[in-house]
Amino acid sequence: MRIIDTPSPNWDERSLPISMIVLHYTGMQDAEGAIARLRDPEAKVSCHYLVAEDGTVLRMVDEAKRAWHAGRSHWREVEDVNSASIGIEIVNPGHDWGYRPFPDEQMDAVIALVAQIKDRHEITRGNVVGHSDIAPARKRDPGELFPWHRLARLRLALPRPTKGLMDPNWTEAGFCLALERFGYDVTDRMAAIMAFQRRFRPELIDGEIDAECRMILLALLLPKPQGDA
Ligand SMILES: [Zn+2]
């Protein structure tokens, strides 16, 4: 894979070991604007890698350093997600500027990049997440069009459970407790439910807990024979 160095000054030192990968969309009208912003000292944002729609990969911050992509966020035990993660920006106008499917050439590059990083830092599948998973009340990226199933097929992300599903019949409070156990910040319940749906049941994102949501979440929480949760 060819990686073009395009350094951003927006980084500092990590205070945690690397244990996560966070995927984003750029959410700007074009790639040029997004790259300029990610290199602008005034903007105070950055990422480790940016993947263009044609599959070109830019390296903007060294993996050893802490890039500024997650903002206020939370996943499992981690509060300072920037310190614990590698951030990848994927060029797409996003929900505000004409959200569209991610081209195959772009996804091939994302997959190759995630595979390398996951391997290098021994990151578990359950810690390969979207920005909306770690900041559900603020973010929708990379969004419901992101083909998580392509990553899951290669064991780069958790698959949507499909087999042996059972409805645990949790109450809303029970569901939210389970969602928190899985890793989400559930302070804003509706936002957390929608983030979960966007990731694991993208065809219906309505913020309503239904039997299918309960079944998927239960299956995700049951211990996996291979570990790597
Ligand atoms: Zn983002």
Side-chain angles (χ1 to χ4, degrees):
M1 166 183 295
R2 204 165 78 92
I3 297 183
I4 302 168
D5 275 305
T6 313
S8 165
N10 300 331
W11 54 268
D12 52 14
E13 300 298 330
R14 291 185 183 276
S15 56
L16 292 170
I18 297 168
S19 62
M20 299 175 63
I21 296 173
V22 181
L23 303 180
H24 304 258
Y25 65 45
T26 49
M28 291 184 66
Q29 275 170 298
D30 55 49
E32 292 67 36
I35 294 163
R37 182 168 146 78
L38 291 161
R39 305 182 76 191
D40 176 3
E42 299 288 306
K44 294 188 164 41
V45 291
S46 62
C47 59
H48 293 93
Y49 299 97
L50 176 139
V51 183
E53 286 181 299
D54 68 0
T56 305
V57 178
L58 308 187
R59 181 190 287 114
M60 307 194 78
V61 173
D62 189 294
E63 283 183 17
K65 304 300 181 186
R66 177 178 179 271
W68 304 339
H69 55 94
R72 232 179 72 79
S73 45
H74 167 99
W75 185 250
R76 297 185 172 171
E77 308 300 307
V78 178
E79 297 293 338
D80 180 4
V81 174
N82 281 335
S83 267
S85 66
I86 305 275
I88 302 176
E89 287 280 358
I90 304 166
V91 172
N92 189 299
H95 293 89
D96 291 339
W97 299 100
Y99 189 39
R100 58 190 184 221
F102 297 85
D104 285 340
E105 311 79 69
Q106 187 179 35
M107 280 311 304
D108 292 345
V110 168
I111 284 168
L113 185 62
V114 169
Q116 286 183 11
I117 296 167
K118 186 176 180 296
D119 218 46
R120 200 158 45 237
H121 299 286
E122 297 180 337
I123 295 167
T124 60
R125 289 183 297 168
N127 276 356
V128 178
V129 297
H131 201 184
S132 57
D133 296 315
I134 62 169
R138 298 189 299 116
K139 295 292 174 180
R140 287 181 285 174
D141 62 315
E144 60 279 3
L145 295 178
F146 187 77
W148 286 104
H149 57 272
R150 284 201 55 192
L151 276 74
R153 221 178 286 144
L154 297 166
R155 300 188 58 80
L156 300 177
L158 289 175
R160 171 180 179 163
T162 53
K163 291 197 199 81
L165 297 178
M166 284 186 312
D167 183 358
N169 277 305
W170 290 317
T171 59
E172 182 182 326
F175 182 88
C176 290
L177 200 64
L179 205 51
E180 188 172 36
R181 169 62 63 90
F182 183 61
Y184 286 88
D185 173 2
V186 299
T187 313
D188 181 336
R189 279 188 176 187
M190 175 78 125
I193 294 163
M194 289 178 78
F196 172 79
Q197 291 173 333
R198 208 179 292 285
R199 172 68 179 81
F200 290 105
R201 208 272 303 269
E203 68 276 12
L204 178 59
I205 304 164
D206 61 358
E208 299 280 340
I209 299 163
D210 54 38
E212 191 177 39
C213 293
R214 291 190 297 265
M215 291 192 284
I216 291 171
L217 182 53
L218 175 64
L220 286 167
L221 284 167
L222 294 175
K224 309 285 181 295
Q226 303 92 340
D228 195 18

